[in-house]
Amino acid sequence: MEKLKQTKPARIGIYTMGLKPYWDQFPGLRERVIEYAEFIAGKVRKIGGTQVFFYGLVDCSERGEEAGEYFNAHNVDLIFAHAGTYVNSASILPVHQVCKAPVVILNLQPTAKINYARTTTGEWLAHCGACPVPEMTNAFNRSGIECHIINGLLGLNYTPEISMTDEDTASRPEAIRAWKQIEEWVLAASVKSGLSNARFGFLGNTFNGMLDMYSDFTMFQGQTGAHLEVLEMCDLNRMLETVTEEEVEAKKEEITEFFIISEDSPSDPLAKKPTPEQLEWSAKVAVAQEKLVKEYDLDALTYYYHGAPDGYYEKIQGGFIVGHSLLTAKGIPCAGEGDLKTCLAMKICDIVNRGGSYCEIVVTDYEDGTILLGHDGPFHLAIANGKPILRGMGLYHGKQGTGVSVEAKVKAGDITNLGCTQNIDGKLKFIITEAEATNGTIMTIGNTQTPVRFHKDPDAYMDEWFAQAPTHHFAMSVGHNASLFEKIAVMLKIPSVVLDR
């Protein structure tokens, strides 16, 4: 499903490094080092539409200061510092004293092995990128500059005649591993860029009494860079009053395309085949929800409404789940019960194209060794196991009103749960767990449910999980993404913990 709004791409700064006296001493070495860096820049440009700002060569302190100013001028989110050959740390430190963007040092050897019998000093220097790295990390540490390092092979299928044969270094595990880390850092930078001035809507209020849901809006903006737009139900009602019959019919066709309309549940008398009136209303509300997102230029939305019983706004919120599921699939994650922190987790998952479905604990299956995770909606349609089912609900348990809900599970395979909680000091914290979604049986009650098998048995995992003081909601993403989410936490300066490793 096409996204309603594109997030800002990451801005990546790249430079390579070397020692200025080498260029006269070893002809061709300077060009070799720059060629390696240009190869890196070209590959990085292909990662998710990334904007790359390639400074070139830093080989003295003057060029270091100039590079720092260059990266500041382009407001880069992250700098890749390529260790092309030996360089003294005094040349490199100014780059990062001037520009405070996070830095990742790339120690990427161009070939897996040099030809010992034929290698000259100049050829060796074209392979000795690791040599200056400890010197740089020492200087950075003593200067209060945090840095990260990727070691491995460059993966450039070019081997000078002096080195080994024409080996395919790109297929070697050392290159694959290094480029996986580079891609994760670029994606992490895209989250930082995507959240900067992103617009999160907060519609209505927080579910009364859910203390873990309550959020400090200033804290949220201060730690994420995202803007929070506080919305009222009358804002949505204003959109609802503009909905035409043609728009409703188009939305009904969209709903039919993406959902299976259920029959009565064989087990739960509350879960019925949606009535034509319920589907009509859900479609009309869904049109209004999309209008609201466009009116306020939103990138994400968290919502909940509790009003007087049988009030008109209660009727509106009864139609929320279908439209919010459609919005979530279109890149506008929607989190219920006023859970702003989980909305953030869902948005992060969506920016890196890993889904991000709204979940909590449903029930434990001790015989199967799994925990069912899900909610009464919304659901991320892009990671569903087949078409989700729409069921009419006689009531929303624990809440007011009736309407249509989504019954679905995440496709079987690797998943990663990203929880976002808040510590006693008011700081956000990520709780990350890799696991496996199975194709086990779920209930037919109109709720999303995914059976998940963790590395530990259910009780041992819950012991570890609950000890982290989590919120009771989290976002489920597809794939094993712990390494990626840890890098995102670094970029956002949010503490993180990985469970069940």
Side-chain angles (χ1 to χ4, degrees):
M1 188 178 286
E2 186 177 348
K3 293 194 174 185
L4 287 179
K5 185 179 178 182
Q6 298 301 315
T7 55
K8 291 191 299 183
R11 298 175 298 272
I12 306 296
I14 298 177
Y15 71 94
T16 191
M17 59 188 78
L19 193 65
K20 194 172 185 178
Y22 283 166
W23 314 142
D24 291 334
Q25 294 175 335
F26 305 101
L29 178 59
R30 182 179 185 276
E31 290 73 24
R32 285 272 295 280
V33 169
I34 292 174
E35 180 186 0
Y36 298 153
E38 288 176 337
F39 169 75
I40 293 168
K43 286 197 71 170
V44 170
R45 283 190 184 95
K46 297 177 182 177
I47 303 174
T50 303
Q51 291 182 300
V52 170
F53 299 95
F54 180 51
Y55 172 77
L57 181 66
V58 173
D59 57 4
C60 61
S61 60
E62 291 83 0
R63 297 289 79 75
E65 292 177 14
E66 187 178 275
E69 295 292 355
Y70 171 81
F71 294 136
N72 275 341
H74 292 288
N75 194 25
V76 299
D77 301 297
L78 177 72
I79 296 173
F80 284 131
H82 170 237
T85 185
Y86 175 74
V87 65
N88 58 45
S89 51
S91 298
I92 300 306
L93 187 62
V95 179
H96 306 285
Q97 290 177 311
V98 173
C99 180
K100 305 301 183 183
V103 55
V104 178
I105 299 171
L106 303 182
N107 168 36
L108 303 177
Q109 191 165 292
T111 60
K113 181 180 180 180
I114 60 172
N115 187 327
Y116 295 106
R118 298 176 60 193
T119 295
T120 63
T121 301
E123 181 63 21
W124 157 60
L125 289 173
H127 286 73
C128 77
C131 183
V133 175
E135 179 181 337
M136 283 189 287
T137 60
N138 178 279
F140 286 176
N141 179 268
R142 291 163 67 185
S143 302
I145 297 171
E146 182 180 354
C147 68
H148 304 270
I149 303 153
I150 297 175
N151 300 302
L153 281 173
L154 179 63
L156 174 62
N157 291 329
Y158 157 76
T159 342
E161 183 181 356
I162 195 77
S163 69
M164 295 298 284
T165 58
D166 254 351
E167 61 176 334
D168 179 12
T169 56
S171 65
R172 288 187 63 98
E174 299 89 349
I176 294 170
R177 182 176 60 246
W179 276 100
K180 180 177 183 293
Q181 292 183 68
I182 291 171
E183 181 178 11
E184 288 180 346
W185 277 112
V186 173
L187 291 174
S190 75
V191 170
K192 182 178 185 295
S193 177
L195 290 178
S196 177
N197 296 313
R199 296 174 61 81
F200 279 65
F202 193 99
L203 174 62
N205 47 53
T206 305
F207 194 113
N208 185 43
M210 285 186 179
L211 301 182
D212 58 331
M213 297 296 95
Y214 296 174
S215 296
D216 179 332
F217 292 174
T218 305
M219 169 278 298
F220 178 82
Q221 183 165 346
Q223 293 184 54
T224 67
H227 169 80
L228 196 72
E229 186 77 13
V230 179
L231 302 168
E232 301 291 347
M233 289 294 286
C234 54
D235 293 314
L236 180 59
N237 187 48
R238 180 165 53 88
M239 302 295 112
L240 196 63
E241 290 172 347
T242 70
V243 175
T244 66
E245 291 184 8
E246 292 76 17
E247 289 172 323
V248 172
E249 289 303 312
K251 186 62 69 174
K252 284 163 67 176
E253 290 181 9
E254 184 180 344
I255 289 170
T256 302
E257 179 182 353
F258 285 97
F259 295 99
I260 295 172
I261 309 302
S262 77
E263 299 297 325
D264 290 353
S265 168
S267 59
D268 190 347
L270 294 175
K272 301 284 190 180
K273 178 179 180 179
T275 66
E277 292 77 17
Q278 286 177 320
L279 290 173
E280 181 87 8
W281 183 246
S282 290
K284 185 172 183 178
V285 172
V287 174
Q289 290 165 323
E290 189 165 319
K291 285 174 178 277
L292 184 77
V293 164
K294 292 177 178 178
E295 172 80 10
Y296 289 94
D297 194 25
L298 300 181
D299 296 272
L301 177 67
T302 187
Y303 64 93
Y304 180 70
Y305 178 73
H306 173 87
D310 300 321
Y312 184 63
Y313 288 171
E314 179 189 296
K315 181 184 177 184
I316 295 176
Q317 69 87 28
F320 273 180
I321 292 176
V322 174
H324 284 152
S325 292
L326 290 172
L327 285 171
T328 299
K330 295 177 181 180
I332 311 295
C334 299
E337 298 178 355
D339 189 350
L340 181 60
K341 295 184 286 294
T342 298
C343 194
L344 170 64
M346 293 168 68
K347 184 62 181 177
I348 289 169
C349 295
D350 190 78
I351 289 174
V352 296
N353 294 314
R354 302 298 197 273
S357 207
Y358 188 62
C359 288
E360 66 182 4
I361 296 175
V362 177
V363 70
T364 299
D365 187 331
Y366 284 102
E367 290 189 0
D368 190 43
T370 56
I371 305 176
L372 265 70
L373 305 174
H375 210 275
D376 60 6
F379 183 76
H380 201 304
L381 308 179
I383 60 174
N385 182 24
K387 276 191 174 185
I389 297 169
L390 291 186
R391 291 197 187 276
M393 303 299 294
L395 58 82
Y396 293 129
H397 63 273
K399 304 169 185 175
Q400 296 177 175
T402 66
V404 178
S405 189
V406 176
E407 183 177 294
K409 59 183 174 183
V410 171
K411 62 185 71 171
D414 295 339
I415 60 103
T416 306
N417 293 332
L418 176 61
C420 183
T421 190
Q422 186 177 358
N423 290 323
I424 190 172
D425 61 1
K427 297 292 185 181
L428 298 173
K429 181 178 80 170
F430 291 158
I431 303 172
I432 304 162
T433 309
E434 292 183 341
E436 178 193 3
T438 75
N439 202 23
T441 307
I442 64 173
M443 295 173 281
T444 55
I445 60 172
N447 283 15
T448 70
Q449 305 146 70
T450 302
V452 173
R453 181 170 289 114
F454 298 90
H455 298 115
K456 297 179 180 177
D457 67 80
D459 285 347
Y461 174 68
M462 287 189 286
D463 285 343
E464 189 176 354
W465 180 15
F466 300 164
Q468 294 296 325
T471 58
H472 73 278
H473 298 145
F474 51 89
M476 185 183 294
S477 67
V478 292
H480 277 171
N481 307 314
S483 175
L484 170 59
F485 290 160
E486 285 182 295
K487 292 177 176 66
I488 292 170
V490 170
M491 290 297 299
L492 298 177
K493 298 182 180 179
I494 292 175
S496 67
V497 59
V498 180
L499 305 183
D500 195 33
R501 270 183 161 164

